[in-house]
Every structure is written in structure tokens, then in C-alpha cells.
Amino acid sequence: MRAHLLRSVPLLSLLLQQATARYPEAPPGLAPAVPVEGADAAGAAEMQRYTEVIPGTSARFEMVPIPGGSFLMGSPDDEPGRNTDEGPRHRVELAPLWMGACEVGWNEYQPFQLQLDRQLRAAGKAEAVEQDRWADAVSRPTPPYVPMDFEMGVDGFPAISMTQFAARQYTKWLSMKTGRFYRLPSEAEWEYACRAGTTTAYSFGDDPKALERYAWYFDDSEDAYHPVGKKAPNPWGLFDMHGNVAEWVLDAHAKDFYGTLPADAPAVSPVNWPTEAYPHVVRGGSWDDDPERLRSAARRGSNKGWKIQDPQVPKSIWYLTDARFVGFRVVRPLVPPPPEQWARFWEADVASIREVYERQRHGER
Amino acid sequence: MSTQPSRRSFLHGSAALLAASSLADVAAARTRAGREDVLRIALVGCGGRGTGAAIQALSTAGPVHLVAMADAFRDRIDSSLAEIVAAHPERVDVPESRRFVGFDAYRSAIDLDVDVVVLTTPPGFRPLHFEYAVQKRRHVFMEKPVAVDAPGVRQVLEAARAARELRLKIGVGLQRHHDPAYQETIAHLHDGAIGRVLLYRCYWNSSGVWTRAREAGWNEMTYQMRNWYYFNWLCGDHIVEQHIHNLDVCNWIQGATPVRAQGQGGRAVRTGPDSGEIYDHHAVEYTYADGTRMLSQCRHIPGCWESVSEHAHGTLGTCEVSAARIESEGGWSWRHRGDPVDPYQIEHDRLFAAIRADQPHDEAEVGAQATMTAILGRMATYSGRVVTWDEALASNLRLAPTRYAFDADPPTRPDEHGRYPVAVPGVSVAL
């Protein structure tokens, strides 16, 4: 059978070369930054909260400064509800960044997902901006067969049901649109920001009875997500870190990853870069989870079951048919990495995703 | 390369269809029955859904082998085969000699010594392929819809009768019938949980589906085959291709098909030359014989209210069928609970279990009725008239080209601006 497979490959690649490119190539250089009040900072001391604007749309969202520093990642052995993948606890050092005050909402995600920005331009309701020449070269999700909000609501609600790859492509598109480098947080950055200096099970203490003030979870969500930013924030002003929707981070989920980090020195900006499609980490728990999954240290890995009802093969690289509890938030490092490293944060990183992505990029299905 | 799917030469009556299956086929069937319990499958239509269906068939209990593949395009076979091999390397045996390309490929695949045929081409071909598979006495899994016009529905109904007489097992890809949440909810409705239903509402309002850009070197027939979703002779419009699921659920609850329909639709946003001839929205009011109404909407426009759902309103309460939730007067409420399952797998598990146990499994008629319900809706929106079930089913409007071949004339062509003629309510002949 392998022989059949191999024989078919040269033909397929030939077809790919002949196919018409569906997406334009991005212009050389970088998309220039769209000026936004408060978004620039010469150093960590100058970082302030700012409102990001997605040009050509009515979407806006708040970015909150997160100071650089170090913290103890993971949970103590005696934390109730703890899983073994949360240890050993280890010290991590992180650089300053801004983080979305809220989970990314459909209002921000849909212009990317449904190409609404292009439609607005085509209908004469918005002008093309300089940055659109870069943004239009970013691959967009295929049209979803069914409403991916699963009818829980759109306006003001968190975007869900996207794959980790789709979330990363969104951060690429957002970076092109704004001219500022956005990406998913690493798992360490996420936990650091969630804890906001605390060492308890939750950023408000250890008692799950207090969750209702801070989080949408199984007991108070009435079986659905809720508009972002309605509960109390954590000490650093971040909303819904516990609950509402679980949030993608950059890392692959490895139960023993913490044990592979050096014990005698802090890990500096660690990322467990994925090499397989599963499992990736989501953090924070969701509207559908019990309290222990909402803990600051709790980790959860994605699995194939999250696409079980996708009837097409290959299954979508953009959508999860069975994970209406997964969303994400974005970060922007104060000092972005050099542009040649950006692809690592944004692009298809697994062969099976890359293959489908390339086909679609060239106008095939 | 070409087939002449002549209606004139079509044998009328299931007896004639039975007679058409040759002695050789009977002999082949005996050989198959005598063989060990391996079920041999031919896949006809190797797109994303066909690939998924083949993998599901190969995932059923007991030995199942994929032995043949057919598609109009070679590249679809290659990409499909790679996926299926990756999922079930030990259950695939499709050497080069059993990969068939072109409009006639289905015959070559079905003619082989196979037990089950998976029919997952665009729906316009389904009647022809289903009829041939039954004639060759093969069990069938076929995707919905099962036709795109009334002659096609009649052809499927005829073949379904023959299949029943031959004790063939027929599965149709209306997977909601195999979803425990739907089964339990509808059982409650049949038990009177909301009294007598007065009104159904159902929706497939979404942002649309894929398109493929025209490539240099493609002729018009190739373009339409590659973009089959946007051409009625292949797809039937999205009210038929997608919304059929929701219409089918209401029929299931009602236990009947509608007697008439009226509706409206058009192209409000998706109007470009890459969007063929189908509408981007339809809204239809169906009426059942007892006066019960079904209000239906389907839309392919991004950025609007989206819903894929069915709802029933009764004398004693309401039911969100697709959410498996019932609220009845007097405070009784019910909600299905259970871990998510994959109804696409279950529908194959049941079909293959029925084949192995020789138990009845006959979904062709329900599939044809659901298909006709959707076609009736399209006839109503395209014509702007009230259309009855009986006149719709009797329609002789055939959408297919006179000949299936890449050098044949497609039934519609673009004008000098690349735009295709589109149905005009009040003017167009739709049935």
C-alpha cells in the first residue's frame, strides 16, 4: 500500500505547481504600524494599556501591560484537584509583553474568518489601507459548513471552535493588519499572567466557592459561554482567565515537560514547540468545566475527538466540530523577535496541516 | 468515456430492473456469499466526504476491504487514497488496475467483485449510479441528496423498490437518523411531549462553501465539475444539498412529506461569476396534509445570523429538536444528556451490521422523500408559485446534460461577462 501512496505523490506535486495561486504574495518588507494611541513604549517602564484597532473594521480590543519577571510555574503536590503534569514546580523568567484583557471575540475574529474586511472593501464601505497588501496574503479559514458559534451568540462573545493553527493564522493576519507583532502566549506566559503574582490555586485564592465572582464554569454558565469581560478581572486586569473558554497557547502538551527543564536555573521563556497535530495545550478551563480544570496551573491537551463529527477527510485544519469550549487570547511582546523568526509563531508547523494548507492556498480544496 | 443516460431506454418497473441483472451477476453474488466474511468495497466519488465515508466503512466491525476507487478526476483518487491508506493501511487494496477515472468509471468499479458500493459523487450522478449498483446487486451507502430533479428522484424510488425485493441493504447519509440525541428527542415528540405539532421551523443559514478558481486549460465542463456546488445539474442548489437535513428532520417528526410549498429566494450577495447559478438564500413555507406548516430558511451569506437547527411548536409546548431540548406546558422539561458520538460512524456501523446479519436496512425511500422535499422548495423559490408535491414529483424537467463527457455541452454556459443565467421568480420554468 505504501507503494501506491508514493507513486501518487509526484503527480500531486505536479498539479500543485500548475495550480493558480489563490492568495497574492505579500510585498517585501514589513507592514508599517498603524498609529494607535498608547501602543508604543521605549521600555518596560513606559508600557501602558492601549486599545488596538483593526483597520477597515469596527473591531477594537484592549491590551494590558504584563511586566517581565519570574515566577514558580506549576502547582504544589498537595493542591486539591492537581494532576501530575503540573509538576515539578520550576522557576521561569519571562520578558514584558501586552496581553489581551479579554479572550478574542467573534467581532475581531470574524473579519479574518469570513473575510468580512475584504467584503466591506468590495462593497465600498471601507478603504483599503497600506497594511491590507500584507494582510490579504494571509490564508483565511475555509467557509464553515455550520455556525461555529453553535448559536451561543456572536456579538461580544468569545470566538470558539478554531484549531490552534487557525488561532495562530489569526495572529499573523492581525499582525499584518496592525503592523504590530501579535502571537499566541506561551504556556508559561499564560500561567504567569493568570497568576498575576499569586501562588494560590486560583488568582483570587484557594476556595472554588469564590469562582462565581470571577468565572463562567459548569455551575454558573447554564451550558453556554458568556460575553467576555463580565466577571471580575484578576489582579493584573485580565478577564476570564479562569473559565468562559479554554485558551490555546503555543505549546504542545507533554506530561513530563516541566521535568525536562533545568532544575538549578530558571527556564527563560520556555516553549514546548509542537511537532505533532495533537496534543496542544489549552489553559484556564471553560464554561463546561468543573472548578479543578479552572485552576491557574491546570493543563489540558487537545485530542482527535475535538474533530470527531467533521465528516470530511482530511478533516478541517481550521475548525473543531466538537470543542465549543476552546478559544484564545493574544499577546504582543514589548521586544518582538526578529522577523525571520515570526513564521514559527504563525505558520503551519505540522506536515499534515502544511499539506492541506498549501493545497488550499493554491485554490484547491 | 461518455455515458448516454437515456431516459427513453430506462427500463420501467422494478421487475424490468431485476431482469436486467444478468446471470453472471447472480453467479458473482453466490461466489461472494461463499467467500469468508470479508466485505469488499468500491468507492465512487473520492472527494472529502467520500474519503470520510470510506474510512468510516473500513472502521466498522469485521473485515472490510476497499478494493476499487472511481472518480471523474485522477487527482481526487490520489489524494483520497493517501488519506484512506493513512487511516487503514491494512484494509486497502486498490492497485493501479482498480483505479478508474472519468464519467464511466463508476461502472468499472461496480462491475468488479464487490459487495458494497459507496456513492459519494456530486448528487446529480446519484440516480444513475444507484440504479446501476442495484442492477448489479450491490449493497449501497449513498450520500444525501440522492438526486437533483424529479426524474432523478423517481429513478431512485424505482431502484429502491428493486433493492428491497433483492434484500439489498441501502444506507443514506442522513446521519441525524443515527444520532441518539435526535432519536430520543423525536421519540418524546411521537409520545406527545408537546401535544400536536402545529408549526416547524428549520434553518441552514451559514456563510457558504468553497469555490475553486478557474484554471487555464480547463474547458467549461471541467470548470463546472470542479465547482459542482454552484451548478444545479450537479448540486441541486444548497437548499437541496445542505438544507435537506433539516427538512428531513421535520418530515421525520411529522411522519409525512409536505403536500405543497411556496417560497422566495434569490442572489443578494453572492452574485459574482464564481458563484454559478445557485441562489444565496431561500425561504419556503411548506404545508403538510393535516395543515401543519413548516417554515424553512437557508442562506449562504457570511456575517449574518447563522443557525443550523430544527424546532417544533406544539399545542402543549415547544422543542428545540437540534438542541435535544423540550419545554412543555406545566413545567415539564427534558434535555438529552450524553457524551458526543459520531453519527457518521454509527450510520456505517448499522449498515454493515445489517449486511452481515442479512437484516432489513432500507433508507433509500426516506432519502428520496427528503430529497424531493428540498427539490419542491427549490421549485417554489425559483418559480415564485405554489407548487404541489404531486406536480413536483411528476415534473419531467431534467437538469443533466444530454451526454456525460468532458467534451460534452454542459447544460448552462456563462455569458461574455462570465455570468450564468439565474432563475427569475415569476418568469422561470422550474418544474
Side-chain angles (χ1 to χ4, degrees):
Chain A
M1 280 315 98
R2 288 290 161 200
H4 302 154
L5 184 56
L6 289 175
R7 263 208 305 283
S8 72
V9 167
L11 180 68
L12 194 62
S13 47
L14 187 68
L15 284 165
L16 286 179
Q17 287 161 14
Q18 291 168 345
T20 317
R22 183 176 157 195
Y23 286 91
E25 289 301 316
L30 304 175
V34 179
V36 163
E37 196 183 335
D40 297 318
E46 290 181 23
M47 290 171 73
Q48 52 179 309
R49 193 184 175 96
Y50 69 94
T51 302
E52 183 59 278
V53 176
I54 305 181
T57 77
S58 54
R60 280 159 177 57
F61 58 93
E62 296 290 306
M63 293 297 289
V64 176
I66 305 293
S70 83
F71 81 117
L72 261 185
M73 187 171 182
S75 58
D77 295 350
D78 58 354
E79 187 169 295
R82 177 186 195 262
N83 293 306
T84 53
D85 65 352
E86 296 166 26
R89 286 174 97 189
H90 57 286
R91 187 149 292 275
V92 170
E93 268 181 29
L94 295 163
L97 47 74
W98 288 270
M99 183 178 249
C102 294
E103 292 150 344
V104 172
W106 287 116
N107 297 95
E108 298 108 86
Y109 192 72
Q110 278 193 337
F112 160 74
Q113 178 208 4
L114 303 176
Q115 313 210 16
L116 295 181
D117 57 331
R118 285 178 173 172
Q119 285 194 38
L120 286 168
R121 271 146 51 197
K125 301 276 165 61
E127 295 288 320
V129 293
E130 171 73 3
Q131 290 75 10
D132 285 327
R133 298 199 293 135
W134 282 265
D136 285 351
V138 180
S139 290
R140 310 288 188 97
T142 51
Y145 277 18
V146 297
M148 296 315 288
D149 70 327
F150 293 93
E151 299 173 50
M152 293 190 285
V154 173
D155 270 333
F157 291 92
I160 53 161
S161 310
M162 75 292 291
T163 59
Q164 197 239 25
F165 167 67
R168 286 192 293 121
Q169 279 283 293
Y170 169 79
T171 62
K172 177 181 181 182
W173 174 83
L174 179 64
S175 302
M176 299 300 167
K177 275 281 195 191
T178 60
R180 280 175 280 280
F181 175 75
Y182 285 93
R183 60 169 171 80
L184 288 182
S186 70
E187 186 171 14
E189 288 163 348
W190 192 96
E191 183 171 328
Y192 174 65
C194 176
R195 291 188 173 282
T198 66
T199 55
T200 44
Y202 306 94
S203 59
F204 52 81
D206 285 315
D207 186 1
K209 289 199 187 70
L211 260 180
E212 205 155 318
R213 183 169 141 68
Y214 298 91
W216 300 106
Y217 69 116
F218 189 84
D219 287 348
D220 69 356
S221 70
E222 296 182 333
D223 300 325
Y225 61 38
H226 287 258
V228 300
K230 297 296 185 196
K231 296 273 188 176
N234 81 354
W236 287 351
L238 302 170
F239 293 87
D240 302 308
M241 292 297 279
H242 303 298
N244 209 20
V245 296
E247 300 175 13
W248 286 120
V249 294
L250 287 170
D251 301 56
H253 182 241
K255 288 192 164 74
D256 59 353
F257 178 61
Y258 296 176
T260 67
L261 299 169
D264 51 349
V268 179
S269 303
V271 180
N272 185 26
W273 289 102
T275 55
E276 309 276 343
Y278 302 99
H280 289 102
V281 176
V282 296
R283 284 302 207 114
S286 79
W287 58 268
D288 200 26
D289 286 326
D290 289 323
E292 60 266 21
R293 276 214 171 134
L294 274 65
R295 289 174 304 108
S296 300
R299 316 171 68 201
R300 185 173 178 187
S302 60
N303 65 65
K304 287 184 178 180
W306 293 10
K307 286 187 192 175
I308 190 169
Q309 290 190 73
D310 185 341
Q312 305 269 333
V313 173
K315 294 190 181 231
S316 176
I317 61 173
W318 302 102
Y319 297 108
L320 302 169
T321 51
D322 301 86
R324 51 186 84 174
F325 48 83
V326 172
F328 67 104
R329 78 177 69 211
V330 297
V331 296
R332 176 183 160 221
L334 172 64
V335 180
E340 59 270 21
Q341 290 177 20
W342 292 0
R344 190 165 204 194
F345 296 93
W346 292 339
E347 303 295 359
D349 53 354
V350 175
S352 59
I353 298 173
R354 199 157 46 231
E355 202 177 295
V356 174
Y357 167 86
E358 285 298 337
R359 273 209 301 268
Q360 291 178 353
R361 193 164 171 78
H362 291 85
E364 295 197 45
R365 288 163 52 203
Chain B
M1 194 66 178
S2 76
T3 309
Q4 182 84 40
S6 164
R7 294 294 304 148
R8 281 181 295 283
S9 68
F10 175 67
L11 295 155
H12 291 283
S14 53
L17 188 57
L18 287 178
S21 85
S22 69
L23 285 175
D25 294 323
V26 177
R30 279 205 200 97
T31 316
R32 286 197 301 278
R35 200 174 50 213
E36 54 172 320
D37 58 350
V38 175
L39 291 174
R40 291 159 59 87
I41 301 180
L43 172 62
V44 178
C46 303
R49 183 73 273 274
T51 306
I55 290 172
Q56 279 137 7
L58 296 181
S59 305
T60 58
V64 186
H65 290 171
L66 178 68
V67 299
M69 297 172 77
D71 197 283
F73 297 108
R74 176 63 201 226
D75 57 295
R76 299 307 269 165
I77 294 181
D78 292 335
S79 53
S80 176
L81 184 57
E83 295 287 346
I84 300 169
V85 166
H88 285 290
E90 76 293 355
R91 290 190 159 197
V92 182
D93 178 21
V94 190
E96 188 61 46
S97 62
R98 293 201 292 264
R99 300 175 204 171
F100 304 103
V101 178
F103 283 98
D104 270 351
Y106 75 98
R107 284 178 172 260
S108 308
I110 295 171
D111 282 346
L112 292 171
D113 177 20
V114 296
D115 306 282
V116 188
V117 180
V118 175
L119 300 178
T120 45
T121 64
F125 298 108
R126 198 86 71 249
L128 180 70
H129 294 178
F130 178 55
E131 179 186 82
Y132 191 72
V134 170
Q135 192 175 315
K136 293 290 173 179
R137 303 192 175 208
R138 310 300 187 223
H139 305 295
V140 172
F141 174 81
M142 57 177 165
E143 259 306 335
K144 46 43 66 172
V146 300
V148 296
D149 54 20
V153 170
R154 296 199 300 268
Q155 196 174 353
V156 168
L157 286 169
E158 202 63 59
R161 274 189 279 276
R164 207 170 305 131
E165 289 178 39
L166 290 165
R167 296 174 64 86
L168 296 176
K169 318 307 172 202
I170 312 296
V172 175
L174 292 164
Q175 78 284 349
R176 283 167 173 74
H177 286 272
H178 299 285
D179 184 331
Y182 273 96
Q183 291 172 325
E184 288 174 31
T185 304
I186 292 176
H188 279 301
L189 296 183
H190 287 165
D191 287 345
I194 60 168
R196 188 170 76 79
V197 176
L198 302 171
L199 171 70
Y200 301 98
R201 291 180 296 119
C202 65
Y203 309 93
W204 194 301
N205 289 345
S206 69
S207 44
V209 300
W210 48 267
T211 55
R212 270 199 75 169
R214 199 182 283 269
E215 291 183 19
W218 284 2
N219 68 5
E220 183 58 28
M221 193 64 160
T222 304
Y223 174 75
Q224 294 191 12
M225 286 287 285
R226 291 284 191 187
N227 275 282
W228 64 266
Y229 209 98
Y230 299 94
F231 297 95
N232 283 326
W233 66 278
L234 289 160
C235 165
D237 205 325
H238 62 103
I239 187 173
V240 177
E241 209 281 333
Q242 281 185 323
H243 195 33
I244 178 175
H245 282 298
N246 319 102
L247 302 170
D248 167 57
V249 165
C250 298
N251 282 354
W252 178 11
I253 300 168
Q254 180 73 11
T257 51
V259 293
R260 64 176 181 275
Q262 68 82 21
Q264 50 197 303
R267 287 160 64 96
V269 174
R270 188 173 59 193
T271 56
D274 60 346
S275 60
E277 60 182 344
I278 68 173
Y279 281 5
D280 63 10
H281 65 285
H282 304 254
V284 183
E285 175 187 355
Y286 291 91
T287 306
Y288 291 99
D290 65 358
T292 305
R293 303 294 164 114
M294 164 168 58
L295 300 180
S296 120
Q297 293 180 0
C298 55
R299 177 167 60 194
H300 274 186
I301 302 178
C304 302
W305 175 67
E306 297 198 356
S307 180
V308 175
S309 64
E310 309 89 24
H311 312 259
H313 300 262
T315 51
L316 298 174
T318 60
C319 175
E320 288 179 66
V321 187
S322 40
R325 257 199 293 262
I326 297 174
E327 300 282 342
S328 69
E329 279 180 8
W332 185 80
S333 70
W334 173 86
R335 196 181 151 216
H336 170 80
R337 279 181 191 278
D339 290 331
V341 294
D342 180 9
Y344 294 94
Q345 184 58 51
I346 298 173
E347 67 183 348
H348 282 269
D349 292 343
R350 298 222 169 105
L351 170 64
F352 279 77
I355 292 170
R356 290 181 184 283
D358 193 18
Q359 293 295 314
H361 190 89
D362 179 13
E363 300 182 336
E365 193 171 332
V366 165
Q369 286 170 345
T371 301
M372 192 62 226
T373 303
I375 292 171
L376 170 65
R378 185 192 69 214
M379 289 172 168
T381 61
Y382 278 18
S383 70
R385 295 177 39 218
V386 176
V387 183
T388 69
W389 176 272
D390 291 342
E391 65 178 327
L393 184 57
S395 161
N396 284 317
L397 185 69
R398 252 185 122 246
L399 302 180
T402 51
R403 197 164 67 88
Y404 286 125
F406 282 110
D407 63 358
D409 263 342
T412 183
R413 283 189 173 275
D415 66 12
E416 68 272 24
H417 307 296
R419 291 172 197 278
Y420 296 83
V422 173
V424 180
V427 175
S428 290
V429 175
L431 66 159

